[in-house]
PDB file of all heavy atoms in Angstrom:
ATOM      1  N   ALA A 811     -14.034   2.432 -46.188  1.00 74.00           N
ATOM      2  CA  ALA A 811     -14.845   1.746 -47.187  1.00 74.00           C
ATOM      3  C   ALA A 811     -15.330   2.701 -48.264  1.00 74.00           C
ATOM      4  O   ALA A 811     -15.582   2.301 -49.408  1.00 74.00           O
ATOM      5  CB  ALA A 811     -16.032   1.069 -46.523  1.00 74.00           C
ATOM      6  N   GLY A 812     -15.447   4.010 -47.917  1.00 75.00           N
ATOM      7  CA  GLY A 812     -15.913   4.974 -48.902  1.00 75.00           C
ATOM      8  C   GLY A 812     -14.833   5.893 -49.407  1.00 75.00           C
ATOM      9  O   GLY A 812     -14.922   6.397 -50.535  1.00 75.00           O
ATOM     10  N   SER A 813     -13.791   6.141 -48.622  1.00 74.00           N
ATOM     11  CA  SER A 813     -12.751   7.096 -49.031  1.00 74.00           C
ATOM     12  C   SER A 813     -11.463   6.784 -48.288  1.00 74.00           C
ATOM     13  O   SER A 813     -11.432   6.789 -47.048  1.00 74.00           O
ATOM     14  CB  SER A 813     -13.196   8.536 -48.729  1.00 74.00           C
ATOM     15  OG  SER A 813     -12.120   9.428 -48.915  1.00 74.00           O
ATOM     16  N   ASP A 814     -10.408   6.529 -49.051  1.00 73.00           N
ATOM     17  CA  ASP A 814      -9.111   6.272 -48.437  1.00 73.00           C
ATOM     18  C   ASP A 814      -8.558   7.521 -47.758  1.00 73.00           C
ATOM     19  O   ASP A 814      -7.980   7.462 -46.667  1.00 73.00           O
ATOM     20  CB  ASP A 814      -8.110   5.780 -49.484  1.00 73.00           C
ATOM     21  CG  ASP A 814      -8.484   4.403 -50.025  1.00 73.00           C
ATOM     22  OD1 ASP A 814      -9.236   3.696 -49.325  1.00 73.00           O
ATOM     23  OD2 ASP A 814      -8.024   4.044 -51.126  1.00 73.00           O
ATOM     24  N   THR A 815      -8.727   8.657 -48.405  1.00 79.00           N
ATOM     25  CA  THR A 815      -8.236   9.917 -47.829  1.00 79.00           C
ATOM     26  C   THR A 815      -8.959  10.239 -46.531  1.00 79.00           C
ATOM     27  O   THR A 815      -8.345  10.640 -45.538  1.00 79.00           O
ATOM     28  CB  THR A 815      -8.422  11.080 -48.821  1.00 79.00           C
ATOM     29  OG1 THR A 815      -7.767  10.771 -50.052  1.00 79.00           O
ATOM     30  CG2 THR A 815      -7.861  12.367 -48.250  1.00 79.00           C
ATOM     31  N   GLY A 816     -10.247  10.062 -46.538  1.00 74.00           N
ATOM     32  CA  GLY A 816     -11.032  10.316 -45.324  1.00 74.00           C
ATOM     33  C   GLY A 816     -10.621   9.392 -44.195  1.00 74.00           C
ATOM     34  O   GLY A 816     -10.584   9.792 -43.029  1.00 74.00           O
ATOM     35  N   ALA A 817     -10.298   8.159 -44.537  1.00 75.00           N
ATOM     36  CA  ALA A 817      -9.867   7.208 -43.509  1.00 75.00           C
ATOM     37  C   ALA A 817      -8.537   7.632 -42.892  1.00 75.00           C
ATOM     38  O   ALA A 817      -8.339   7.537 -41.683  1.00 75.00           O
ATOM     39  CB  ALA A 817      -9.753   5.815 -44.107  1.00 75.00           C
ATOM     40  N   VAL A 818      -7.621   8.113 -43.741  1.00 80.00           N
ATOM     41  CA  VAL A 818      -6.311   8.553 -43.230  1.00 80.00           C
ATOM     42  C   VAL A 818      -6.462   9.757 -42.312  1.00 80.00           C
ATOM     43  O   VAL A 818      -5.899   9.810 -41.218  1.00 80.00           O
ATOM     44  CB  VAL A 818      -5.362   8.879 -44.405  1.00 80.00           C
ATOM     45  CG1 VAL A 818      -4.085   9.525 -43.881  1.00 80.00           C
ATOM     46  CG2 VAL A 818      -5.035   7.626 -45.196  1.00 80.00           C
ATOM     47  N   VAL A 819      -7.243  10.739 -42.765  1.00 80.00           N
ATOM     48  CA  VAL A 819      -7.454  11.947 -41.947  1.00 80.00           C
ATOM     49  C   VAL A 819      -8.132  11.583 -40.629  1.00 80.00           C
ATOM     50  O   VAL A 819      -7.738  12.038 -39.547  1.00 80.00           O
ATOM     51  CB  VAL A 819      -8.290  12.974 -42.730  1.00 80.00           C
ATOM     52  CG1 VAL A 819      -8.668  14.144 -41.815  1.00 80.00           C
ATOM     53  CG2 VAL A 819      -7.529  13.462 -43.946  1.00 80.00           C
ATOM     54  N   THR A 820      -9.165  10.763 -40.719  1.00 78.00           N
ATOM     55  CA  THR A 820      -9.872  10.351 -39.499  1.00 78.00           C
ATOM     56  C   THR A 820      -8.951   9.583 -38.555  1.00 78.00           C
ATOM     57  O   THR A 820      -8.989   9.772 -37.331  1.00 78.00           O
ATOM     58  CB  THR A 820     -11.079   9.473 -39.863  1.00 78.00           C
ATOM     59  OG1 THR A 820     -11.927  10.186 -40.753  1.00 78.00           O
ATOM     60  CG2 THR A 820     -11.862   9.087 -38.615  1.00 78.00           C
ATOM     61  N   GLY A 821      -8.127   8.730 -39.130  1.00 79.00           N
ATOM     62  CA  GLY A 821      -7.212   7.950 -38.301  1.00 79.00           C
ATOM     63  C   GLY A 821      -6.202   8.820 -37.585  1.00 79.00           C
ATOM     64  O   GLY A 821      -5.943   8.622 -36.383  1.00 79.00           O
ATOM     65  N   VAL A 822      -5.626   9.804 -38.288  1.00 82.00           N
ATOM     66  CA  VAL A 822      -4.637  10.694 -37.671  1.00 82.00           C
ATOM     67  C   VAL A 822      -5.274  11.529 -36.567  1.00 82.00           C
ATOM     68  O   VAL A 822      -4.741  11.643 -35.451  1.00 82.00           O
ATOM     69  CB  VAL A 822      -3.991  11.604 -38.743  1.00 82.00           C
ATOM     70  CG1 VAL A 822      -3.127  12.668 -38.072  1.00 82.00           C
ATOM     71  CG2 VAL A 822      -3.165  10.781 -39.716  1.00 82.00           C
ATOM     72  N   VAL A 823      -6.425  12.121 -36.881  1.00 82.00           N
ATOM     73  CA  VAL A 823      -7.107  12.955 -35.880  1.00 82.00           C
ATOM     74  C   VAL A 823      -7.523  12.121 -34.669  1.00 82.00           C
ATOM     75  O   VAL A 823      -7.367  12.541 -33.508  1.00 82.00           O
ATOM     76  CB  VAL A 823      -8.332  13.654 -36.515  1.00 82.00           C
ATOM     77  CG1 VAL A 823      -9.154  14.372 -35.440  1.00 82.00           C
ATOM     78  CG2 VAL A 823      -7.886  14.631 -37.590  1.00 82.00           C
ATOM     79  N   SER A 824      -8.057  10.944 -34.937  1.00 79.00           N
ATOM     80  CA  SER A 824      -8.495  10.081 -33.836  1.00 79.00           C
ATOM     81  C   SER A 824      -7.315   9.640 -32.977  1.00 79.00           C
ATOM     82  O   SER A 824      -7.418   9.579 -31.745  1.00 79.00           O
ATOM     83  CB  SER A 824      -9.233   8.857 -34.393  1.00 79.00           C
ATOM     84  OG  SER A 824     -10.363   9.235 -35.140  1.00 79.00           O
ATOM     85  N   PHE A 825      -6.176   9.345 -33.627  1.00 81.00           N
ATOM     86  CA  PHE A 825      -5.005   8.925 -32.874  1.00 81.00           C
ATOM     87  C   PHE A 825      -4.492  10.041 -31.972  1.00 81.00           C
ATOM     88  O   PHE A 825      -4.144   9.805 -30.809  1.00 81.00           O
ATOM     89  CB  PHE A 825      -3.905   8.473 -33.834  1.00 81.00           C
ATOM     90  CG  PHE A 825      -2.630   8.074 -33.151  1.00 81.00           C
ATOM     91  CD1 PHE A 825      -2.550   6.888 -32.447  1.00 81.00           C
ATOM     92  CD2 PHE A 825      -1.510   8.906 -33.204  1.00 81.00           C
ATOM     93  CE1 PHE A 825      -1.376   6.513 -31.794  1.00 81.00           C
ATOM     94  CE2 PHE A 825      -0.333   8.545 -32.558  1.00 81.00           C
ATOM     95  CZ  PHE A 825      -0.272   7.344 -31.860  1.00 81.00           C
ATOM     96  N   LEU A 826      -4.462  11.273 -32.494  1.00 84.00           N
ATOM     97  CA  LEU A 826      -4.023  12.404 -31.677  1.00 84.00           C
ATOM     98  C   LEU A 826      -4.979  12.640 -30.509  1.00 84.00           C
ATOM     99  O   LEU A 826      -4.553  12.932 -29.383  1.00 84.00           O
ATOM    100  CB  LEU A 826      -3.918  13.661 -32.543  1.00 84.00           C
ATOM    101  CG  LEU A 826      -2.823  13.638 -33.623  1.00 84.00           C
ATOM    102  CD1 LEU A 826      -2.895  14.892 -34.479  1.00 84.00           C
ATOM    103  CD2 LEU A 826      -1.439  13.488 -32.989  1.00 84.00           C
ATOM    104  N   ALA A 827      -6.273  12.501 -30.788  1.00 82.00           N
ATOM    105  CA  ALA A 827      -7.259  12.668 -29.712  1.00 82.00           C
ATOM    106  C   ALA A 827      -7.088  11.589 -28.647  1.00 82.00           C
ATOM    107  O   ALA A 827      -7.211  11.854 -27.441  1.00 82.00           O
ATOM    108  CB  ALA A 827      -8.669  12.628 -30.290  1.00 82.00           C
ATOM    109  N   TYR A 828      -6.775  10.377 -29.112  1.00 82.00           N
ATOM    110  CA  TYR A 828      -6.573   9.290 -28.152  1.00 82.00           C
ATOM    111  C   TYR A 828      -5.350   9.554 -27.271  1.00 82.00           C
ATOM    112  O   TYR A 828      -5.370   9.268 -26.069  1.00 82.00           O
ATOM    113  CB  TYR A 828      -6.414   7.960 -28.872  1.00 82.00           C
ATOM    114  CG  TYR A 828      -6.056   6.834 -27.927  1.00 82.00           C
ATOM    115  CD1 TYR A 828      -7.032   6.266 -27.110  1.00 82.00           C
ATOM    116  CD2 TYR A 828      -4.743   6.368 -27.820  1.00 82.00           C
ATOM    117  CE1 TYR A 828      -6.716   5.256 -26.221  1.00 82.00           C
ATOM    118  CE2 TYR A 828      -4.419   5.358 -26.929  1.00 82.00           C
ATOM    119  CZ  TYR A 828      -5.408   4.807 -26.138  1.00 82.00           C
ATOM    120  OH  TYR A 828      -5.085   3.816 -25.255  1.00 82.00           O
ATOM    121  N   LEU A 829      -4.288  10.090 -27.858  1.00 84.00           N
ATOM    122  CA  LEU A 829      -3.098  10.399 -27.063  1.00 84.00           C
ATOM    123  C   LEU A 829      -3.420  11.400 -25.968  1.00 84.00           C
ATOM    124  O   LEU A 829      -2.942  11.281 -24.830  1.00 84.00           O
ATOM    125  CB  LEU A 829      -1.987  10.945 -27.971  1.00 84.00           C
ATOM    126  CG  LEU A 829      -1.274   9.939 -28.878  1.00 84.00           C
ATOM    127  CD1 LEU A 829      -0.197  10.644 -29.694  1.00 84.00           C
ATOM    128  CD2 LEU A 829      -0.672   8.796 -28.059  1.00 84.00           C
ATOM    129  N   VAL A 830      -4.238  12.389 -26.316  1.00 85.00           N
ATOM    130  CA  VAL A 830      -4.637  13.378 -25.308  1.00 85.00           C
ATOM    131  C   VAL A 830      -5.416  12.703 -24.184  1.00 85.00           C
ATOM    132  O   VAL A 830      -5.168  12.943 -22.992  1.00 85.00           O
ATOM    133  CB  VAL A 830      -5.483  14.502 -25.964  1.00 85.00           C
ATOM    134  CG1 VAL A 830      -6.059  15.430 -24.898  1.00 85.00           C
ATOM    135  CG2 VAL A 830      -4.633  15.281 -26.954  1.00 85.00           C
ATOM    136  N   VAL A 831      -6.363  11.851 -24.569  1.00 86.00           N
ATOM    137  CA  VAL A 831      -7.164  11.145 -23.560  1.00 86.00           C
ATOM    138  C   VAL A 831      -6.274  10.248 -22.702  1.00 86.00           C
ATOM    139  O   VAL A 831      -6.394  10.215 -21.465  1.00 86.00           O
ATOM    140  CB  VAL A 831      -8.274  10.319 -24.239  1.00 86.00           C
ATOM    141  CG1 VAL A 831      -8.983   9.423 -23.218  1.00 86.00           C
ATOM    142  CG2 VAL A 831      -9.275  11.234 -24.923  1.00 86.00           C
TER     143      VAL A 831
END
Side-chain angles (χ1 to χ4, degrees):
S813 170
D814 293 339
T815 304
V818 172
V819 172
T820 303
V822 171
V823 172
S824 300
F825 178 73
L826 293 176
Y828 174 77
L829 286 181
V830 172
V831 172

